[in-house]
Amino acid sequence: MKTASPPLVAPLVAPLVYVKLVFVTLFWGGTFIAGHIVAHALPVMTAAALRFAVAVALLLLVAWRREGGLPRLSRQQLLATAVLGLTGIFLYNLCFFGALGQMPAGRAALFIALNPVVTALAAAMLLRERLSAVKWLGIALAFAGAAIVITRGDPVAALHDISQSVGLGELLMLCAISSWAAYTLVGKSALKGLSPIAATTYAALWGLLFLTIGAAGSSAAVDWSTIGWQVWLGLGYLGAFGTVLGFVWYYEGVKAIGASRTAVFNNLVPVFGISLAALLLGEQVLASMVAGGVMVAAGVTLTNR
């Protein structure tokens, strides 16, 4: 009796997931270019609120198509998603757009590579999660690389005049990374009983509420007739590709190949960010950015092992 041949569909799943994850990092690298354009045309609060107006509309559609809508929240879940909205949406985007208004997009993209390292360090300090010697080495290597990027390759000189190396943009990006670390840690408890799509949609709704309240004053002063198509295109990109499609495909990767293997792809975000900034914005790529970026990527890889 002839045995049935195995299905041909399964082997094609993993390569498709890897392709999607590369595109996710491309989308996220592009957010620095779109954010740079938007941040120089609109007030910070207004820009962030418009981004998440687009994102919330699409997330609600995704939640309805994939899960039949949003579940009713318990009081604890309501509080947890509100904290997610405050940290990962409101504070992160406030710092993100603020930083891009002060510094080059490619330089800002390098900072974002520190996210997994700062999150691991915060988990060790606040949640008492144990870190191995290899992870501590990774953290030290990543922060050493970040110091090279921040000081433009001269950490010793920066100690004598720190204001010349660390400006408002750098401080805002460090605050953005800290906000995202808080979002990630709170998300561990918020996701209990909630799907990633539901938790993210509720967080985005809370974040949009906070941002809309904050943008009420600044939005009234905007001369909307002077806002060009590039800004509207940037906002659409940030909401659709940088937020919704990136999120959905990223969690498809987590489901298919696991969180650790998926997280390694985050190392491509600064690569795409720097490349796109040089190509589209004409920004200069410094040797210190390349050297520091490689060290940060190596440190993140060790920390994620």
Side-chain angles (χ1 to χ4, degrees), residues 199-275:
T200 302
T201 304
Y202 272 118
L205 283 166
W206 277 111
L208 179 59
L209 174 62
F210 299 144
L211 289 168
T212 301
I213 294 172
S218 60
S219 299
V222 176
D223 183 0
W224 295 102
S225 63
T226 63
I227 304 302
W229 63 268
Q230 299 93 333
V231 178
W232 295 112
L233 182 63
L235 287 167
Y237 176 89
L238 287 165
F241 291 90
T243 306
V244 178
L245 190 57
F247 159 79
V248 172
W249 283 5
Y250 188 83
Y251 276 100
E252 284 182 3
V254 171
K255 186 176 180 179
I257 64 175
S260 297
R261 293 169 70 185
T262 301
V264 174
F265 281 83
N266 289 329
N267 292 336
L268 290 176
V269 174
V271 175
F272 283 125
I274 293 172
S275 302

Side-chain angles (χ1 to χ4, degrees), residues 80-91 183 202-204 206-208 210:
T81 52
V83 175
L84 289 179
L86 180 64
T87 55
I89 310 300
F90 178 77
L91 290 176
Y183 174 86
Y202 272 118
W206 277 111
L208 179 59
F210 299 144

Side-chain angles (χ1 to χ4, degrees), residues 101-154:
Q102 300 288 329
M103 65 190 298
R107 185 170 164 84
L110 279 170
F111 279 75
I112 217 68
L114 284 174
N115 266 334
V117 175
V118 173
T119 302
L121 191 58
M125 294 173 61
L126 301 177
L127 303 181
R128 304 297 182 185
E129 291 188 5
R130 295 185 62 184
L131 295 177
S132 65
V134 172
K135 290 182 183 291
W136 279 113
L137 176 62
I139 290 172
L141 186 61
F143 277 111
I148 290 175
V149 173
I150 292 171
T151 62
R152 294 175 173 84
D154 198 350

Side-chain angles (χ1 to χ4, degrees), residues 29 60 78 80 134 164 167 202 254-255 282 296 300:
L60 287 171
L78 195 65
V134 172
Q164 293 298 317
Y202 272 118
V254 171
K255 186 176 180 179
V296 170
V300 170

Side-chain angles (χ1 to χ4, degrees), residues 1 20 63-64 76 92 95 102 113 117 135 138 140 169 180 192 228 248 274 276 289:
M1 183 176 178
K20 284 185 174 182
W64 175 71
Q76 183 178 1
Y92 176 83
C95 297
Q102 300 288 329
V117 175
K135 290 182 183 291
W180 192 260
K192 293 178 180 178
V248 172
I274 293 172
L276 291 171
M289 292 170 60

